[in-house]
Amino acid sequence: MEQELRLLYQAIAASSNGIVISDPNQADNPLIYVNRSFELMTGYSAEEILGHNCRFLQGSDGDQLALDEVRAAVREERDCLVLLRNYRKDGTLFWNELRLSPVHDERGHLINFIGIQNDVTERKQAEDELQRAHDELEDRVRQRTARLAEANAQLQGEIAERQVLEEQLTHQAFHDPLTGLPNRNLFLDRLDLALERPGRREGEVAVLFMDLDDFKVVNDSLGHEVGDQMLLAVTERLENSMLGEETLARFGGDEFTVLLEDVASPSDAARVAERIEEALRAPFVLRGRERFVTTSVGISFSGQGGERPGDLLRNADLAMYQAKAKGKNRHAVFEPGMEQRALERLELESDLQRALERGEFRLHYQPKVSLRSGEIVAMEALVRWEHPAWGLVSPAQFVPVAEEIDLIVPIGRWVLKEACRQACRWHDRFQGRPPLKVCVNLSAKQFQHYALVKEVETALRESGLEPDALDLEITESVVMKDAPATLATLQELKVLGVNLAIDDFGTGYSSLSYLKRFPVDFLKVDRSIIQSLGEGPRNEAILSAVVTLAHAMDERVIAEGVETEEQLARLREIGYDFAQGYYFAKPLPSEAASALLAENPRW
Ligand code: C2E
Ligand code: MG
Ligand code: MG
């Protein structure tokens, strides 16, 4: 037993662990044994510390959690393992790993506590270092994750923005910017799909092609801004007249198309056209004024020959022209014969190309009568085309075509020269009378042509006609188109010394502010207005208001299309200055006009 105890004591005393024994049965649990290693570890000698509680190692910044655990273990007489921040005698810090265990006797009474203490400062520092490195790493990872998240968020944002942009671009590619309706591309796409659909019955797909009637007049006289407003208002009405299964598209300009994919009978398509006509019936209010818009609609069906989108569109377009030709504001269904008429139009174009070289144009003359003297004071030159097969073709038929194919300028040049030459011949023949004037009509393209003033000058110079003997007539809607440019042209013409007239007055929309600035000599009131004479006091009031207006602007008024004696009498009373019309004479070939002049009639 003694041997055993000695061995035990030697082991404890020589242990490289610091070992202490305290006595819990004495007040404040003092140390009753410390070994050598503990002395070395703490720097205290056994004499200095025996009899004291071990807390002298703690300093003032003890780790409360660890100390509480020690106190609890002492109180509860159990083991504990804690890491304590301790201080050596010289004040330096060391980390002390303490394993505290109670020691009981055979009867279970607590006799002391044995504490095994180790300086683990190095391990603790290494651990701390590791922890710091780990924390640093973690911090870096966190930062990098945050940066990545930010970059990702930015990327997502860019992707979303790009998607919106792409959607906008696709939308733009397939929609009309003004009205937001599907455009020509999208319409053709859908038409193609409809025609390709498997199991499609004949006549099941229909195309409506509509073109607003006389929209050009609105655009030309009121400007594009009002034109756009009108198109928007029309679009709204059209959309409201659709049932939802149709594709309504703006095909271009004032052209709209409707695709019907499920037509049971041709009358289905006609009903859509009727709904459109109905939708446009109420007046539109633009710039505070009521205006009426009508449309001509052409309808074609699949199975009418040609099954490509272009075939249906061409057929609907041909039918639309037919609707226009029949007086506008109506719809027409494509029939095979319409192609023939389109071909005739082509023939007209090619014949017109050759007409000038072949000398097929003629001028007829219609007298203009002074209502004061009752005498003929001027002759209006009206062009005719003597077609080798069709006979005399009226300008109403070929002037619009000549405009379209850019032939009007050379034709107009010829008219101007011929009219000036004829006027000179009459001057020679009827010397002694006040010089007869000649009136020449200018079409839109001629009026806008850059060389117009030069050509008028040339015609005057070559013929030797006095500028004052030439009146140039320009239609109201042409005059009002691009009014500032018109003003400049009119002023240049005026400088030449010729007279200017606004033709067909009352059919377009004149701007009063421009009207009074234009250097115009005559207002020529349109036949349709003259013919409303006798149709009630309102019309008469308008007719006399025009006279007042013109005279206030120092212009003379001409009545067009006078056909009866009553009309003439009324116009005289109201104060018209001049008149023209079948009542006096129809347009006559030059010889007949000369004969009439020789008679020198008076009305
Ligand atoms: P405009 O200048 O207003 O000419 C008057 C038109 O009304 C003429 O038709 C004339 O024949 C017709 N007219 C005259 N009096 C009466 C009447 O009492 N009753 C009826 N129902 N009609 C009457 P036209 O000769 O067929 O000419 C039609 C239009 O063609 C002209 O209208 C003019 O705008 C244009 N035009 C004629 N000649 C030329 C030309 O040499 N150059 C250009 N650019 N246009 C021309
Ligand atoms: Mg005229
Ligand atoms: Mg006229």
Side-chain angles (χ1 to χ4, degrees), residues 207-211 256 258 273 295-300 312-313 315-323 330-334:
V207 166
L208 276 70
F209 195 107
M210 68 184 107
D211 183 287
F256 295 85
V258 180
T295 178
S296 301
V297 183
I299 305 174
S300 68
L312 264 82
L313 275 164
N315 290 350
D317 191 35
L318 283 167
M320 187 274 290
Y321 270 103
Q322 202 56 36
R330 68 195 65 218
H331 57 271
V333 176
F334 172 78

Side-chain angles (χ1 to χ4, degrees), residues 180-232:
L181 287 178
N183 64 9
R184 174 199 220 71
N185 290 341
L186 186 51
F187 186 85
L188 286 172
D189 231 40
R190 296 214 179 141
L191 178 55
D192 204 25
L193 276 179
L195 291 173
E196 299 274 290
R197 207 176 54 216
R200 182 174 54 76
R201 280 177 289 111
E202 193 136 291
E204 201 178 25
V205 177
V207 166
L208 276 70
F209 195 107
M210 68 184 107
D211 183 287
L212 302 184
D213 296 329
D214 304 317
F215 181 71
K216 200 172 169 320
V217 178
V218 174
N219 235 3
D220 287 355
S221 54
L222 296 176
H224 287 278
E225 223 172 278
V226 178
D228 282 357
Q229 277 176 27
M230 179 90 101
L231 285 172
L232 281 173

Side-chain angles (χ1 to χ4, degrees), residues 380 382 441 473 503 524 560:
E380 178 174 4
L382 294 159
N441 294 283
E473 299 189 358
D503 203 350
K524 202 164 178 182
E560 231 181 32

Side-chain angles (χ1 to χ4, degrees), residues 444-579:
K445 278 236 176 94
Q446 252 181 302
F447 185 66
Q448 287 145 8
H449 195 253
Y450 67 98
L452 170 69
V453 178
K454 193 142 195 68
E455 283 180 3
V456 173
E457 201 182 1
T458 309
L460 288 170
R461 198 183 52 242
E462 286 180 3
S463 63
L465 188 71
E466 286 291 306
D468 184 45
L470 178 62
D471 294 356
L472 295 177
E473 299 189 358
I474 309 121
T475 302
E476 183 182 29
S477 58
V478 173
V479 173
M480 286 301 159
K481 178 179 181 173
D482 193 5
T486 295
L487 185 57
T489 311
L490 291 179
Q491 277 162 345
E492 279 180 66
L493 287 171
K494 209 54 217 158
V495 168
L496 290 183
V498 300
N499 303 299
L500 301 173
I502 296 185
D503 203 350
D504 305 325
F505 186 75
T507 54
Y509 308 101
S510 273
S511 148
L512 206 54
S513 68
Y514 271 106
L515 206 53
K516 68 178 185 219
R517 281 160 64 190
F518 288 155
V520 162
D521 305 277
F522 303 104
L523 282 191
K524 202 164 178 182
V525 179
D526 192 67
R527 185 173 80 227
S528 60
I529 295 179
I530 301 301
Q531 268 158 11
S532 70
L533 254 184
E535 283 175 12
R538 242 176 106 93
N539 292 317
E540 295 227 352
I542 292 172
L543 276 160
S544 77
V546 173
V547 176
T548 313
L549 176 77
H551 287 173
M553 294 187 296
D554 209 21
E555 291 162 12
R556 309 293 97 191
V557 211
I558 308 168
E560 231 181 32
V562 177
E563 291 183 352
T564 67
E565 203 174 340
E566 294 78 47
Q567 285 172 345
L568 173 61
R570 252 336 257 144
L571 291 167
R572 268 205 165 107
E573 271 170 33
I574 297 173
Y576 275 70
D577 302 287
F578 303 96

Side-chain angles (χ1 to χ4, degrees), residues 82-93:
V82 289
L83 185 66
L84 296 169
R85 184 194 285 112
N86 280 173
Y87 293 89
R88 300 191 187 91
K89 189 181 174 188
D90 63 8
T92 53
L93 180 143

Side-chain angles (χ1 to χ4, degrees), residues 368-389:
K368 181 168 108 184
V369 175
S370 157
L371 295 192
R372 191 156 314 141
S373 68
E375 286 177 322
I376 297 173
V377 290
M379 283 288 191
E380 178 174 4
L382 294 159
V383 72
R384 303 287 181 263
W385 176 18
E386 209 172 281
H387 188 278

